[in-house]
Amino acid sequence: LNLRSVTATDADRSMVALLSVYSGVSNVPPAVVDTEEETKEGEEKEDETSKQGMYVETEIDLLAKQQFQAKTDWVVSLGAYEMVRGDQKDFTCGPWKFGISVLEVTNVDSVM
């Protein structure tokens, strides 16, 4: 989930860094320009993200969102049966048989 999962490893982060260099996709937030406030010479100006504690999306974040949306669109196009059965794991415990399925989407409204 864009390296925010507890299962993301240092190897995952290294691969994203390498791929971002090869692809030209930046992982640096765009510069925020504030024309109203001018800084005195020699003073370093605080950017908007540190002043307001806001997160600014990078190109990698936007690309990840687009990929997750494409996956959601694809999953929804499968239909109800295939959505549930696509990643279902079946188990047997004594006389009981059951399955567990996980469905990851970016927008639950499109699934419901």
Side-chain angles (χ1 to χ4, degrees), residues 19-38:
L19 290 172
S20 73
V21 170
Y22 284 145
S23 66
V25 176
S26 175
N27 197 27
V28 177
V32 178
V33 179
D34 188 355
T35 56
E36 291 180 25
E37 295 180 27
E38 292 188 22

Side-chain angles (χ1 to χ4, degrees), residues 8 16-17 23 26 37 42 47 53 55 58-59 61 65 67 69 75 78 81 85 93 102 108 111:
V16 168
S23 66
S26 175
E37 295 180 27
D47 69 10
Y55 179 78
T58 65
E59 288 180 344
D61 294 325
K65 274 186 176 180
Q67 289 175 322
Q69 185 58 52
V75 166
L78 293 175
Y81 180 81
R85 291 290 296 168
C93 183
V102 175
V108 296
V111 177

